[in-house]
Amino acid sequence: MRVPIVAANWKMNKVQAEARAYCRRLRELVPEGFPVELVVFPPFTALGVVREVLGGSQIKWGAQNAHPESKGAFTGEVSLPMLLEYGISYLIVGHSERRNIFGEPDDFIAKKLRSALDSGVCSILCVGEKLEERRAGKAREVVERQLAALAGVSAEELERVVIAYEPVWAIGTGVPARPEDAQEMAASIRRWLADRFGDTAEKVRIQYGGSVKPDNAGEYLKLPDIDGALVGGASLDPDTFFAIAREVAR
Ligand code: PEP
């Protein structure tokens, strides 16, 4: 049994006061023993507040990014040892905005994943094709190239990796992938994992991400290979985020 996981990627949103109000509300909403793992990804500047409010609850938090090196001359970057001071449990790796806006290549993303695993942190590894790649029939090829970040990861370490299938054309557009397309890709990801990691593939949680809302979340979560959602826009309001998580719990 894979425990479903729903994550809130706030991206570059919320100052500390907003983060505090959000987390207080989310804590109020989530009942004890809620059967879905919830993870909030604030910007770096709100990690302290998030830890203060969510500490001691079942809601986890993580960082949206980290540099693979632990320290050094990397102006503007933040490392995993720095983030561990904020009690993070997760790191997002390979988000399409990092890949496409900031030009992060696959090998750099693989180094981040390695660094997160070495630090004992779980990762959400995001993969997904662009619209032109899907139209050219290359979606699977692109996703498999991105999954190659898992080379050198052991089966034991893989249990600390969540894969988020996020077709780039569905992110922030209000046009989600059709559930059957999401399932087809998730099943193909699981087969790819099974070929390399054997039975451990069955333990890996695969999220769908891209314009998930309370009214469509249930569609994805009933699919056999999808175990949760990575949510951007609709996660910015705690009630909406929890409404998605409740759909997943049903
Ligand atoms: C995301 O950025 O990971 C995402 C899925 O965004 P949205 O839910 O807004 O499409």
Side-chain angles (χ1 to χ4, degrees):
M1 270 298 283
R2 299 185 290 263
V3 176
I5 173 166
V6 179
N9 177 12
W10 295 358
K11 311 190 184 189
M12 197 173 71
N13 290 290
K14 297 194 189 297
V15 296
Q16 291 185 34
E18 293 166 327
R20 186 182 302 280
Y22 181 109
C23 292
R24 281 187 178 150
R25 176 68 183 147
L26 191 60
R27 260 196 100 143
E28 264 168 33
L29 288 167
V30 179
E32 211 170 298
F34 188 63
V36 174
E37 186 174 351
L38 296 176
V39 193
V40 173
F41 289 92
F44 295 142
T45 48
L47 276 169
V49 163
V50 167
R51 166 155 100 157
E52 199 184 302
V53 183
L54 295 184
S57 78
Q58 73 170 86
I59 308 162
K60 297 178 178 159
W61 58 95
Q64 298 173 21
N65 189 28
H67 193 278
E69 298 297 331
S70 57
K71 61 181 174 180
F74 301 103
T75 302
E77 291 293 316
V78 173
S79 72
L80 275 151
M82 294 166 186
L83 293 165
L84 284 170
E85 290 190 319
Y86 290 91
I88 62 160
S89 305
Y90 275 89
L91 178 70
I92 297 179
V93 175
H95 191 279
S96 67
E97 286 153 16
R98 300 297 321 171
R99 292 179 191 271
N100 299 321
I101 302 176
F102 300 101
E104 290 189 2
D106 291 328
D107 58 342
F108 190 58
I109 289 162
K111 282 187 191 154
K112 289 188 191 204
L113 181 65
R114 172 45 50 211
S115 185
L117 290 169
D118 290 345
S119 307
V121 164
C122 300
S123 293
I124 296 183
L125 171 64
C126 303
V127 296
E129 80 287 356
K130 294 181 187 161
L131 189 55
E132 61 270 26
E133 291 165 336
R134 173 157 283 266
R135 286 190 174 140
K138 294 196 164 144
R140 199 185 293 182
E141 181 186 321
V142 169
V143 166
E144 291 184 0
R145 196 195 68 224
Q146 295 167 340
L147 286 172
L150 294 168
V153 169
S154 68
E156 201 184 359
E157 289 173 326
L158 187 69
E159 293 185 31
R160 286 192 281 123
V161 179
V162 173
I163 310 286
Y165 170 55
E166 298 208 299
V168 179
W169 44 272
I171 296 180
T173 59
V175 184
R178 293 185 311 167
E180 56 268 38
D181 291 335
Q183 166 56 27
E184 190 184 326
M185 187 61 85
S188 142
I189 291 171
R190 205 175 297 287
R191 277 194 304 274
W192 188 96
L193 294 172
D195 285 346
R196 287 152 186 86
F197 298 95
D199 292 346
T200 307
E202 282 304 311
K203 297 187 186 166
V204 176
R205 291 169 300 170
I206 301 177
Q207 297 174 308
Y208 166 72
S211 299
V212 173
K213 307 264 181 309
D215 61 0
N216 63 18
E219 290 298 303
Y220 297 100
L221 267 297
K222 61 183 186 214
L223 300 169
D225 284 295
I226 293 186
D227 313 299
L230 178 54
V231 190
S235 77
L236 290 174
D237 174 79
D239 288 81
T240 310
F241 178 58
F242 184 64
I244 291 171
R246 226 177 16 221
E247 286 304 313
V248 171
R250 284 208 293 152

